[in-house]
Amino acid sequence: MKKLIFCLLVMVLCSTVAFAGIVISNTGKTFDLSSVYPEVGELTSEDEVEYDARQVIGTITIDDTTDKTDLELDFSNMQFVFPGQGESTRSYDINLVYKQKTTFRGQETSSFRQSEIIHDVNGKHTFNIPATEGENVSTIEDLELSWTQKFYISLVWLLEGYCFTDEYWGTGILHDGLQHFIEDYASAYVSAVQIDIVLVLPELTAEEEYNMVNSDNGYVGTCKLSTGEEIRFYGSYKGKPENVELSLSVAQNDNSRAIDLDDTSVQPDSSGLDIGTYEYVVTYPAGYDGSHAFYIFASSSDDPTTAGKAFTLIHENGTNALEYEVGLSGGGSSEKWFSGTDSVAIGSGVTNDEAKLLASDNNYSSYAVSDNGRTTRGYGGSILFRLTDAQMNEDPLAGDYSSTIYFHVLSCE
């Protein structure tokens, strides 16, 4: 059965100090785990790359370290996992946005500037964090400045008249000017670093959507820092629409226990033999129109997304077999026949061939009840049996035959 599902991600993160000068915080926003969150754009110029703040799992700020530090972020298998149910997972990606403030000539830049964006995290990434307590630099290569800042330094150097000295005139004026400025002041350094951990959610796969567990919370993702801290983020996946209830019942009759394979009613292309009844009941809240939302079909597979083999009666000797079809009828509509090989796809954007399925608006049973804003509808009909022409050139072997039929109810949403 396809599940009607949606989700809500609840962020839980404690601000903490991992070592001197590092603080972990987050936006406190919630996430919809069924949504698609895009990749952060490429950093190709001095322009800041915009991304949705609601995607930020956590922010790491470092502004008081005396030594250079390697900081590793480890996201392990990069999946939200529902504990105790290993197949219920939600894959995600991570983008890391590295930003910094720079102090030079005693003045710190007013805000963090993006200097690197890491898209391909692959579970782990290590940052080389510079010392932020005024470690001076002595060469241009050691100074991690933007091109705007470098141009400003060069302009200051030019205006102060150094370009007209014999030492620098006419040769490598931009590079030499920067170098001279640094040597003069020797006070430029990266004074603070900030890393945004940005969640990227690809489209749910059909398998992920099918296996999602309805729960108030429980899905867990983690990011472990090499400093010993751990960022944990939690998710939930609820039914959609809320409080939709569905039940299915199938009842056999005496015909199903003793089918005469010579009877004309079970021959290929006949009207079929009535071997039982089915009924599924749907209850949904006010404001939700479920009258055309549900469909039922029969197959030989217990998984509606996996095609089974043709329906087959197996003789008690375990070798002889007869292929057959299952028909479903209801509400005066013409019956629909299934070979056992039918299946459906589930997932966002999937459209099934509903013409192959028994439409709910054509197989109402006799009631639709409303109570306290909730509506209950029952759908049902007969289950039919007939042989195919696959074995019609052979005489069936006398004896007992058996087979299994699976019935699946799904929503078109």
Side-chain angles (χ1 to χ4, degrees):
M1 182 186 74
K2 179 178 176 183
K3 298 177 182 177
L4 293 172
I5 44 184
F6 79 105
C7 73
L8 177 67
L9 182 63
V10 180
M11 299 296 297
V12 177
L13 183 66
C14 297
S15 295
T16 184
V17 175
F19 59 88
I22 181 170
V23 176
I24 305 171
S25 59
N26 65 48
T27 62
K29 303 293 184 179
T30 58
F31 293 82
D32 182 351
L33 201 57
S34 66
S35 294
V36 175
Y37 289 121
E39 290 264 342
V40 175
E42 298 287 346
L43 188 64
T44 57
S45 69
E46 286 304 305
D47 295 330
E48 296 285 299
V49 176
E50 294 185 359
Y51 49 93
D52 194 332
R54 292 174 297 178
Q55 294 177 242
V56 178
I57 289 174
T59 297
I60 300 171
T61 304
I62 304 169
D63 61 4
D64 185 23
T65 59
T66 56
D67 300 307
K68 294 182 179 180
T69 305
D70 289 340
L71 178 64
E72 181 186 75
L73 282 67
D74 182 359
F75 295 91
S76 187
N77 59 4
M78 299 186 72
Q79 287 184 325
F80 291 97
V81 178
F82 195 91
Q85 299 198 36
E87 77 282 359
S88 186
T89 60
R90 171 68 155 110
S91 298
Y92 64 86
D93 295 320
I94 289 293
N95 289 170
L96 299 173
V97 182
Y98 182 87
K99 299 177 285 187
Q100 62 187 24
K101 287 184 179 181
T102 302
T103 295
F104 104 111
R105 300 187 79 179
Q107 297 294 317
E108 185 179 59
T109 52
S110 60
S111 60
F112 285 97
R113 295 281 297 178
Q114 297 170 5
S115 62
E116 185 181 10
I117 297 176
I118 295 90
H119 292 90
D120 191 16
V121 172
N122 289 326
K124 294 182 180 181
H125 187 79
T126 299
F127 288 99
N128 304 118
I129 308 297
T132 61
E133 285 193 342
E135 177 184 337
N136 296 335
V137 296
S138 59
T139 67
I140 297 172
E141 288 71 23
D142 290 336
L143 184 59
E144 299 183 31
L145 300 176
S146 68
W147 282 106
T148 301
Q149 292 167 324
K150 289 179 180 179
F151 175 79
Y152 174 69
I153 293 172
S154 301
L155 182 61
V156 170
W157 181 81
L158 289 169
L159 293 177
E160 289 184 0
Y162 291 106
C163 62
F164 300 108
T165 64
D166 292 338
E167 182 179 359
Y168 296 106
W169 177 252
T171 58
I173 189 169
L174 175 60
H175 183 280
D176 292 341
L178 280 168
Q179 187 65 55
H180 185 82
F181 184 88
I182 293 168
E183 290 171 351
D184 274 356
Y185 294 91
S187 62
Y189 58 92
V190 175
S191 53
V193 168
Q194 193 172 87
I195 303 167
D196 276 350
I197 305 172
V198 184
L199 179 67
V200 178
L201 286 178
E203 185 172 331
L204 272 168
T205 66
E207 182 179 5
E208 285 172 337
E209 185 169 0
Y210 180 67
N211 287 320
M212 279 294 174
V213 176
N214 294 351
S215 173
D216 289 339
N217 60 38
Y219 283 93
V220 180
T222 60
C223 172
K224 297 181 180 179
L225 277 60
S226 55
T227 56
E229 302 300 321
E230 183 179 84
I231 302 173
R232 296 174 65 86
F233 35 102
Y234 303 88
S236 65
Y237 212 84
K238 295 184 178 181
K240 176 188 177 182
E242 185 178 0
N243 296 326
V244 171
E245 299 173 3
L246 175 65
S247 63
L248 169 67
S249 61
V250 175
Q252 298 174 248
N253 59 27
D254 291 339
N255 289 338
S256 68
R257 298 176 177 87
I259 299 175
D260 181 359
L261 298 179
D262 290 324
D263 192 289
T264 57
S265 66
V266 301
Q267 301 310 304
D269 299 322
S270 68
S271 59
L273 176 67
D274 189 328
I275 60 171
T277 59
Y278 71 90
E279 181 180 50
Y280 61 95
V281 178
V282 183
T283 301
Y284 47 88
Y288 172 66
D289 180 10
S291 61
H292 300 278
F294 297 93
Y295 300 83
I296 187 170
F297 72 100
S299 78
S300 64
S301 171
D302 61 355
D303 185 343
T305 67
T306 302
K309 297 180 180 180
F311 286 126
T312 304
L313 285 169
I314 305 297
H315 190 268
E316 57 188 338
N317 64 15
T319 56
N320 293 73
L322 296 171
E323 291 187 8
Y324 66 94
E325 296 176 306
V326 172
L328 298 178
S329 67
S333 65
S334 60
E335 66 275 2
K336 295 189 178 181
W337 290 94
F338 302 93
S339 66
T341 61
D342 293 285
S343 64
V344 294
I346 61 175
S348 178
V350 170
T351 300
N352 292 296
D353 182 5
E354 295 166 2
K356 293 172 59 179
L357 307 176
L358 190 60
S360 60
D361 55 343
N362 288 331
N363 65 327
Y364 279 2
S365 62
S366 58
Y367 67 91
V369 179
S370 296
D371 181 29
N372 293 326
R374 296 176 62 80
T375 300
T376 298
R377 292 185 183 273
Y379 312 99
S382 298
I383 305 169
L384 307 174
F385 170 93
R386 71 184 180 191
L387 296 170
T388 71
D389 58 6
Q391 296 87 11
M392 288 304 99
N393 293 328
E394 305 176 11
D395 291 328
L397 185 67
D400 292 334
Y401 292 79
S402 62
S403 184
T404 300
I405 304 169
Y406 294 95
F407 298 87
H408 306 288
V409 179
L410 67 153
S411 169
C412 63
E413 293 193 351

